[in-house]
Amino acid sequence: MTTTANWVANGASLEDCHSNIFSLAELTGIKWRCYSFRSGGEYGPVISAPAQDDPVLRSFMRCVQANLLCVWRRKIKPDAKELWIFWWGEEPNLSDVIHHELEVAEEGLWECGLSYECRTLLFKAIHNLLERCLMDKGFVRLGKWFFKPHELEEKSLGNSEHLSCSFSFFLHGESNVCTSVEIAQHQPAYHITENHIRLAQTSITPVQGNTTNPLFSSMVYVHRTKQDYIPSRKVEKFIKNI
């Protein structure tokens, strides 16, 4: 395609365009397995155990350490949990990560079809993976938004420099998993330190529930309206750094 062919009626070219939609994975050949608690049937342990002692949560933490695509969820009945693991190609060695009190409750592969429930859990597993990658880069999660806290020793930045992102997933065609990245602006946010707590204790103006207090506004994350203008070059740079 020639340079002339790239130009359209409004004078813009493809080189000036940016996308917030990215292809993440091809579902063809995917396999999955669901584990649930064995001894207590579908209810799991009678008394909720700490995370390190819960068979499902302990197995989930081991899967995360082994870089497996996984997610856990609660079922409707009390204390019932499930662990879902997804992979492509050869089956990973799960003997060292799955707790001995768990058993296979369900398994499947792409050729047998991917239900809506299974696809939703896969999206959550991918979101877990993205979250771990962002946390390793210093991002913090608040609700559905990920952002980098502002360091106190850093120089003051313009509003357009304080950006946050969130991810939503969808299936393009029959087997292509894509994500849409939403970028928004926010006020500067900081990690709360002992100095912040001392200032809050000695502040004449109440901190709780008062968003006009400068101390409060510098300590919390506030999502601005979507009408705020964010320069495209800032968005492009932010996405590249994710």
Side-chain angles (χ1 to χ4, degrees):
M1 181 179 292
T2 63
T3 304
T4 305
N6 285 338
W7 289 89
V8 291
N10 63 0
S13 69
L14 293 178
E15 288 80 3
D16 298 324
C17 299
H18 307 284
S19 174
N20 67 329
I21 297 178
F22 302 90
S23 177
L24 294 181
E26 175 67 33
L27 292 183
T28 303
I30 193 172
K31 303 173 185 177
W32 64 90
R33 186 172 296 163
C34 170
Y35 290 89
S36 61
F37 190 72
R38 176 187 303 164
S39 302
E42 58 183 355
Y43 285 92
V46 177
I47 301 177
S48 296
Q52 65 270 20
D53 297 328
D54 186 287
V56 171
L57 298 183
R58 188 171 182 178
S59 299
F60 172 74
M61 289 186 287
R62 289 174 177 174
C63 289
V64 169
Q65 294 172 353
N67 292 322
L68 296 175
L69 191 60
C70 58
V71 64
W72 73 274
R73 68 166 179 174
R74 293 184 184 274
K75 300 190 69 176
I76 298 177
K77 297 182 178 180
D79 291 319
K81 303 182 185 74
E82 291 179 341
L83 172 65
W84 289 70
I85 302 175
F86 302 87
W87 72 90
W88 286 263
E90 295 184 3
E91 178 181 337
N93 183 11
L94 302 177
S95 59
D96 295 332
V97 296
I98 300 301
H99 196 277
H100 66 274
E101 294 184 83
L102 299 184
E103 64 180 359
V104 178
E106 179 183 341
E107 58 184 343
L109 61 160
W110 170 252
E111 289 74 13
C112 297
L114 191 68
S115 66
Y116 175 80
E117 179 185 39
C118 188
R119 186 167 71 244
T120 301
L121 291 169
L122 173 62
F123 289 168
K124 290 183 179 180
I126 295 175
H127 193 274
N128 285 344
L129 180 61
L130 287 174
E131 180 176 356
R132 295 199 297 272
C133 293
L134 290 173
M135 293 297 185
D136 289 340
K137 293 187 176 183
F139 281 76
V140 172
R141 180 179 179 181
L142 188 61
K144 71 172 186 177
W145 298 98
F146 295 92
F147 66 97
K148 272 192 173 182
H150 188 62
E151 300 295 336
L152 293 176
E153 61 272 11
E154 291 179 353
K155 65 178 181 180
S156 178
L157 302 174
N159 288 336
S160 61
E161 295 286 351
H162 300 286
L163 303 179
S164 56
C165 63
S166 67
F167 303 91
S168 57
F169 303 92
F170 62 93
L171 201 60
H172 177 66
E174 295 184 354
S175 60
N176 193 9
V177 178
C178 298
T179 182
S180 173
V181 184
E182 182 180 355
I183 306 297
Q185 291 180 345
H186 62 85
Q187 292 182 1
Y190 304 85
H191 286 293
I192 296 179
T193 64
E194 293 182 0
N195 186 47
H196 283 122
I197 297 176
R198 285 194 297 268
L199 289 175
Q201 292 173 339
T202 58
S203 176
I204 300 177
T205 306
V207 174
Q208 184 176 2
N210 183 4
T211 56
T212 61
N213 186 297
L215 173 64
F216 180 82
S217 62
S218 68
M219 290 166 56
V220 299
Y221 167 80
V222 180
H223 177 217
R224 295 193 173 186
T225 61
K226 293 183 178 179
Q227 286 75 21
D228 288 347
Y229 171 71
I230 307 176
S232 59
R233 59 185 178 84
K234 300 292 185 182
V235 174
E236 181 185 13
K237 180 181 178 181
F238 181 77
I239 291 179
K240 286 183 178 180
N241 291 332
I242 295 179

